[in-house]
Amino acid sequence: MAGAATAQPAQAAEPQAVKAQAKTASADFPVGTLFDGSVGMYVDDEYSAGLQIKFSVRTDECPARCDISPQEIAEALNELAARKGWPTITFYGTPAPARLN
């Protein structure tokens, strides 16, 4: 019984964290919004490197199953960057800066 009682607070906290994350990434961006993200890192402790990526997504008259969301693009770009050793990039939509991921 003690184990079940202990697990309940952790389970209760999880939905709140998920809700907070959803609020962060749930901004409504108009079609064609420009997204921008940048990140830096030290390479071999000798010099610093920087990476900046900008993108926008526009689909015209396509069925929902074919739509590609900005969030999907951001995830794909982060997967590519991670394979090359870069940290996770946070993208923001402009002109009104709002966090995408």
Side-chain angles (χ1 to χ4, degrees):
M1 284 282 187
T6 305
Q8 287 176 347
Q11 290 172 349
E14 185 177 334
Q16 289 175 347
V18 170
K19 286 179 187 176
Q21 183 180 14
K23 281 184 182 179
T24 301
S26 68
D28 238 359
F29 296 105
V31 172
T33 296
L34 178 64
F35 296 96
D36 184 6
S38 60
V39 67
M41 68 176 182
Y42 285 100
V43 180
D44 300 328
D45 294 329
E46 294 178 18
Y47 61 94
S48 61
L51 172 65
Q52 180 179 21
I53 298 176
K54 295 181 181 188
F55 70 91
S56 65
V57 182
R58 180 184 179 113
T59 52
D60 294 318
E61 300 181 29
C62 71
R65 63 182 165 76
C66 297
D67 194 32
I68 299 173
S69 73
Q71 183 67 37
E72 291 172 307
I73 298 294
E75 289 170 9
L77 289 170
N78 267 313
E79 287 173 16
L80 173 62
R83 285 195 305 266
K84 299 290 186 171
W86 291 96
T88 300
I89 304 164
T90 300
F91 291 95
Y92 294 88
T94 56
R99 186 177 175 164
L100 172 63
N101 62 334

